[in-house]
Structure formats: C-alpha cells, structure tokens
Amino acid sequence: MHYQGTVYRPPSEAGSILLQVTTGCSHNKCTFCGMYKRQRFSITPEEIVFADIDYAAHHFSQARRLFLCDGDALILPQHKLRAILARIQERLPRISRVGIYANHKSLKTKTVEELEELHHLGLGIAYMGLESGDNQTLAAINKGALAADIVAMAAKAKAAGIKLSITVLLGIAGADRSLVHAEETGRVLSAIDPEYVGALSLMIEPETKLYADVQTGAFVVPGPMAILGELRAMIAATHLTGGLFHANHASNYLPIRAKLPEEKEATLELIDQALVGNLSLRPEFMRAL
C-alpha cells in the first residue's frame, strides 16, 4: 500500500483497510488543527489507488470495512470517486461499508443524486467535523462555514442514505464562551440528528494559530471541570431520535458512551457525580490525540 505523510483515520475505523486517495486537507485553515500543516493537498493518481485496491484484494480479502483517506477525500470529482468505489466492489466484494471524511465544502460539490450514487456503490458513512454549533466560535476557528450551512450539507448526506458521525470539540470556544458553545452545539446536533456524535476535548497543538493565541493569553483553555460542565450542557441540549453520543476518546477526562435519548438522564447523572468529585478523571499525562 502507498502512503504519503501521516495518515489519519477515525477511531472506529481501526480495523479498516486504509486507502489513501488524497493527501492532506483542501481547507487546511482551521486554527486548532495541525494535522496537515506541513502537507499540501493533492489527489493520488488513479493507477496508484487501483494498485492499492488490488494489493488489498490479495492480502486483506477478508476485510469487511475500508476507509478512504485523507482529510477531505469526498472533495474528489464524482467520476473519480465512482471509479474507485466500483473498483472496490469488484476486487473486494466482502467490503460491507466504505467510510470517508467529509466537510461542508466537499458536500457542497455533490448533489443529493450524486451522493446517492456513491451510497449505492458502498459509501456507508461520512465523518464530519462540526466542532461547534456557535457561529461566533466557527468564525474564530476559521471553519469556513456557518452552522446553518453545515446543517444543510449534512442533510444532503442523510437524504442520500449515508450515515453521519459528527465530531465536536469541547473547549474550542475558550473559557468565556464555553456554555454558549455547548448549548448551541447541542441545538445544531439536534438539527442534524446524526447516527453518531464524537466529542473530543481540546488539546493545543504546536504550530497552530490557536497555540500562538494560548501563548499570548488571547485564548484561555477551559479547565477539566469547565470541560465537564460543557459536556453536560451539550448533552442536555442534544435531542437525537436514536444515536450514540461518544466522549470516550483519549483526549477526554471522563469516558462517556451513551445511547440517546434512552440513556441521556443516566449520563447526565454520571457527569454530575464527576463534577462533585465522586468519580476520578483521566489525568493530564494520559490524555492524547
């Protein structure tokens, strides 16, 4: 398999074949993200992608899932994605689900009909970074879209039958706007109504603008208890018709995995116990991205 740079994938794709069809991220301007700062966005030549699919067919023929890397693979032109997915179906017939990273920009380039075509070719889930439902925070982190735009693009994916896993960032609004961010994010998550929500806690990466803002004092990272309070407010404001809310990433202080709505009240009670000191939090040295 051919890989360039550092390859990232969602935690839930740990056992998947990783097929790199792009490198980097076509946006690559978010103030908090250092994943692709030293990597220019590019499209992997089709002959390399097809060779990797053939390699996977020979060496990983029993695999059931495949993930298209890198950070913005859905930005590929429709004819390229169509050809890649068709090749996967032909050479790896046991693959039951293909996953991909998506964002507002890449979803905007596709019609619902085009997304339906990709879904019929095996694209089963898109991982989308919301980060925050608060427009002031989205502007501050240079996300490149407002909350309403992200909701509209997510609706296109859902209309096409593609499941959504939405990532949100605890702490990304800073200490002063923490609860506004939490409540607005819950409101937007409710509007999207995804199958999965993944909450990560902010960790400041060197060489990012946010890192520089922390050094100058322009941005204050909320403390562990404030982050927990933010998580509680976010879950309280989130109304899903049936989804999983995960906050069990290694960056989080308190691992949470809750089915909403049925486990919502029990989860809020669990967080309340942590807030009053009855539960231990993950120590800082064990937190990681």
Side-chain angles (χ1 to χ4, degrees):
M1 304 287 283
H2 297 82
Y3 298 111
Q4 291 186 51
T6 302
V7 177
Y8 298 92
R9 48 89 182 152
S12 57
E13 299 287 348
S16 302
I17 295 172
L18 302 181
L19 182 66
Q20 192 176 44
V21 299
T22 64
T23 58
C25 172
S26 66
H27 180 62
N28 204 20
K29 295 175 182 177
C30 295
T31 62
F32 62 89
C33 182
M35 289 167 62
Y36 304 111
K37 291 303 181 188
R38 297 187 178 186
Q39 195 169 359
R40 297 188 66 178
F41 178 77
S42 64
I43 295 174
T44 306
E46 189 173 82
E47 60 269 21
I48 293 178
V49 175
F50 281 14
D52 283 347
I53 294 171
D54 292 343
Y55 179 91
H58 181 72
H59 294 277
F60 315 119
S61 60
Q62 301 303 308
R64 302 300 301 273
R65 292 185 177 180
L66 182 145
F67 183 74
L68 299 176
C69 312
D70 262 338
D72 194 15
L74 191 65
I75 201 74
L76 280 175
Q78 184 73 6
H79 71 276
K80 288 185 177 293
L81 279 170
R82 182 193 304 121
I84 291 168
L85 291 170
R87 182 81 167 203
I88 291 168
Q89 283 192 336
E90 175 191 348
R91 300 290 288 127
L92 290 158
R94 288 183 177 271
I95 294 293
S96 60
R97 190 187 79 181
V98 176
I100 199 167
Y101 279 130
N103 60 23
H104 162 266
K105 179 180 177 181
S106 59
L107 282 166
K108 194 173 183 178
T109 68
K110 304 285 189 291
T111 66
V112 172
E113 291 73 24
E114 287 174 327
L115 292 170
E116 285 178 339
E117 180 184 32
L118 299 179
H119 178 56
H120 291 319
L121 287 168
L123 185 62
I125 187 168
Y127 298 84
M128 191 175 181
L130 168 63
E131 326 311 350
S132 176
D134 173 40
N135 284 331
Q136 183 172 317
T137 300
L138 290 171
I141 64 176
N142 203 15
K143 188 66 182 174
L146 298 177
D149 302 321
I150 297 172
V151 170
M153 294 304 103
K156 288 171 64 174
K158 289 199 70 173
I162 298 170
K163 292 182 178 181
L164 287 174
S165 180
I166 304 294
T167 302
V168 297
L169 265 178
L170 302 169
I172 192 59
D176 291 340
R177 205 167 176 82
S178 176
L179 290 181
V180 175
H181 154 65
E183 292 168 1
E184 285 298 288
T185 302
R187 179 185 63 81
V188 172
L189 287 173
S190 302
I192 296 173
D193 196 19
E195 286 78 11
Y196 307 98
V197 177
L200 283 66
S201 294
L202 179 66
M203 298 190 73
I204 305 299
E205 296 186 68
E207 300 185 25
T208 61
K209 183 180 184 304
L210 197 58
Y211 178 87
D213 288 344
V214 170
Q215 300 306 303
T216 63
F219 184 91
V220 178
V221 181
M225 288 302 172
I227 291 286
L228 272 184
E230 195 173 296
L231 176 62
R232 191 197 191 285
M234 189 180 296
I235 293 176
T238 300
H239 306 284
L240 305 182
T241 59
L244 284 174
F245 194 111
H246 296 269
N248 53 3
H249 186 266
S251 64
N252 291 323
Y253 291 102
L254 180 69
I256 294 289
R257 184 182 185 277
K259 292 177 67 176
L260 299 186
E262 53 263 51
E263 296 177 352
K264 183 173 183 174
E265 293 306 318
T267 301
L268 295 176
E269 173 60 27
L270 181 71
I271 298 172
D272 286 339
Q273 290 297 313
L275 285 169
V276 298
N278 291 338
L279 293 175
S280 298
L281 303 184
R282 178 178 281 137
E284 287 291 342
F285 76 90
M286 292 186 66
R287 294 177 65 227
L289 286 172

